[in-house]
Amino acid sequence: MSFIEVKNLCKEYRIAKPEKGLAGAVKSLFHREYTVKQAVRDVSFSLEKGEVVGYIGPNGAGKSTTIKMLSGVLLPTSGVAKVGDIIPYENRKENAKRIGVVFGQRSQLYWDLPVSDTFDLYESLYSVPQKRFRENCEFFTELLDMKGFLHQPVRQLSLGQKMKANIAIALLHDPEVLYLDEPTIGLDVASKKILRDALKSINAQRRTTIILTTHDMDDIEAVCQRLIMIDQGQKLFDGTLDDFRAKYHDGFIVKLEFEGLFPVWQESGAYALLEQDEHHWLIKAKPDMSTKAAMIDLIEKYDPMNLYVQEERIEDIVRRAYTLNETA
């Protein structure tokens, strides 16, 4: 049996319809009408222990709602979620001992205390042997490069430093699962790299299962082994990044540079000429053509001085997948 099992999970919200005017306000006191918002609709997936999964979707797709049900914060309308044989929303205390959660816009830090004091406070909350807890403090301080600000008050820290500390706190009690909701939002490039490298190390060394929701596709490419995409509350895709590219990509761009005699473009159903000047061409190859086949073919036909292949960025492919779902 898989470590995390989600079957036909649904979450609905009742939203009161606003009534106009004084008469409408009085009417709503006695009879209020509601609309139903389906935040998550019949979502199913399973994760093995130690997997790192990117859980993506546009704003309002149901990502955070799913995480909140898995972490025991929300009760689903229907369906079942199990984390290590525990139903999170029925066994919240037991589930809390086995998970770590970081929401990008919410902090577990105390504003006027240094990070080291916050660590001491959290030690009293978890039934972890003191020796092990101290070892974890040292391990994550080193891994997340926190020595330089460990004894500074939180109010003096940068956004990146606060995020590192929040991730460390979420991991001090050796959780089996780590839920991360937009952990790199607003961070600089250097801070993002440190966090991504740390997550890979944590997963490799401790087999911590990680579910990451983010709009930064570089996070997904750097950290995740698998991708689950949802939109409008429904699951659209579940598989590897390579499978995702194969399903949704729309070809690739090839740049040919020339020197001397300029060749004549040969019309072909395999390529589209996007841009042309006296020194280079930009050509788009059709989706079902392999990069190797295109390079061989173009070199034989046009004998360019240089040839460069520009694969589609993962975020462009994600954007296309959303668009296709909206028009379906």
Side-chain angles (χ1 to χ4, degrees):
M1 184 176 178
S2 299
F3 180 61
I4 295 179
E5 288 278 351
V6 174
K7 294 183 179 179
N8 307 116
L9 202 63
C10 298
K11 180 62 181 178
E12 296 178 350
Y13 294 101
R14 296 176 70 224
I15 303 173
K17 288 184 177 180
E19 299 285 351
K20 294 183 178 180
L22 179 61
V26 173
K27 177 185 174 184
S28 67
L29 293 174
F30 301 96
H31 177 71
R32 178 163 289 186
E33 296 183 355
Y34 294 87
T35 58
V36 175
K37 164 68 175 177
Q38 290 185 303
V40 175
R41 294 190 285 172
D42 201 32
V43 169
S44 299
F45 59 83
S46 60
L47 275 63
E48 301 299 328
K49 189 170 178 60
E51 279 198 84
V52 183
V53 178
Y55 195 61
I56 69 169
N59 291 331
K63 306 183 301 297
S64 296
T65 301
T66 306
I67 296 299
K68 288 175 181 177
M69 288 188 282
L70 286 171
S71 58
V73 175
L74 289 179
L75 180 71
T77 305
S78 61
V80 177
K82 288 186 178 181
V83 180
D85 293 328
I86 290 176
I87 298 178
Y89 37 87
E90 292 181 359
N91 302 275
R92 291 180 178 176
K93 288 185 178 180
E94 183 63 28
N95 184 64
K97 295 176 183 178
R98 301 169 64 177
I99 68 170
V101 182
V102 177
F103 288 96
Q105 298 293 340
R106 298 181 184 179
S107 178
Q108 303 177 74
L109 304 170
Y110 293 86
W111 188 248
D112 291 312
L113 293 181
V115 175
S116 56
D117 284 5
T118 304
F119 283 1
D120 293 337
L121 287 173
Y122 275 88
E123 181 178 359
S124 64
L125 296 178
Y126 299 116
S127 55
V128 179
Q130 186 180 51
K131 182 175 182 294
R132 179 60 176 171
F133 198 91
R134 289 294 140 192
E135 288 174 351
N136 283 345
C137 287
E138 292 177 8
F139 175 77
F140 291 115
T141 297
E142 183 71 30
L143 183 67
L144 292 163
D145 192 24
M146 299 195 306
K147 286 184 178 180
F149 61 86
L150 198 61
H151 301 292
Q152 286 181 239
V154 169
R155 55 186 162 76
Q156 296 179 359
L157 302 184
S158 68
L159 182 62
Q161 290 170 333
K162 291 175 188 174
M163 181 53 65
K164 291 176 185 178
N166 275 299
I167 290 177
I169 288 170
L171 291 163
L172 289 176
H173 60 296
D174 288 327
E176 296 178 88
V177 188
L178 178 63
Y179 300 113
L180 299 172
D181 191 10
E182 299 288 354
T184 63
I185 189 169
L187 302 191
D188 60 73
V189 174
S191 295
K192 286 182 179 183
K193 186 178 187 310
I194 290 173
L195 285 181
R196 291 164 183 161
D197 290 345
L199 292 175
K200 288 189 286 187
S201 295
I202 291 162
N203 174 254
Q205 296 181 40
R206 305 197 172 199
R207 292 196 69 235
T208 305
T209 304
I210 300 174
I211 300 181
L212 167 67
T213 74
T214 182
H215 290 293
D216 190 332
M217 292 302 105
D218 289 336
D219 289 346
I220 299 295
E221 290 198 282
V223 177
C224 298
Q225 304 147 359
R226 177 177 162 192
L227 181 67
I228 299 175
M229 175 189 286
I230 66 169
D231 192 11
Q232 300 177 42
Q234 292 182 302
K235 187 174 75 173
L236 298 185
F237 178 84
D238 184 354
T240 66
L241 286 173
D242 287 341
D243 290 340
F244 179 74
R245 286 190 178 93
K247 182 174 181 178
Y248 289 109
H249 89 115
D250 189 33
F252 53 91
I253 305 297
V254 184
K255 182 178 181 179
L256 283 70
E257 292 183 346
F258 301 98
E259 187 177 54
L261 187 62
F262 205 70
V264 176
W265 170 252
Q266 303 174 30
E267 290 295 337
S268 168
Y271 312 102
L273 183 60
L274 304 179
E275 184 180 308
Q276 179 182 19
D277 65 20
E278 61 183 13
H279 297 297
H280 79 271
W281 289 347
L282 279 184
I283 297 171
K284 185 170 184 179
K286 63 181 182 180
D288 59 352
M289 176 171 283
S290 72
T291 305
K292 181 179 179 181
M295 291 177 70
I296 293 172
D297 185 39
L298 291 170
I299 289 171
E300 289 179 348
K301 281 184 178 179
Y302 301 113
D303 190 27
M305 179 180 66
N306 293 308
L307 183 148
Y308 307 95
V309 176
Q310 304 171 10
E311 293 285 355
E312 273 195 303
R313 295 187 63 189
I314 186 71
E315 62 186 42
D316 295 328
I317 303 174
V318 168
R319 192 178 301 113
R320 181 179 304 107
Y322 294 156
T323 303
L324 290 173
N325 184 56
E326 291 172 358
T327 57

